[in-house]
Amino acid sequence: MLKAAIVLLLLATIASLFSGLVFLVKDDDHSTRLLKALTVRVTLAALTIGLIAWGLISGQLVSHAPF
């Protein structure tokens, strides 16, 4: 369940990234949609990092790195 939530948040972050790109290219100079897309993207990234940290602390996510 936690991995699915992380993947969904990552997909939503990518969608916000591309919507910001569209707003950057097509909007006029007085639009605030680009700023809102950036705010959404930063919030989603913070939530993703928080979920990953929570998963590592709680033991639901385990690193299999050899180092």
Side-chain angles (χ1 to χ4, degrees), residues 12-37:
T13 304
I14 292 171
S16 176
L17 178 68
F18 283 112
S19 70
L21 177 65
V22 170
F23 297 151
L24 178 66
V25 172
K26 295 197 177 199
D27 277 354
D28 60 351
D29 292 336
H30 302 292
S31 178
T32 61
R33 292 194 305 176
L34 181 62
L35 180 62
K36 291 177 185 175

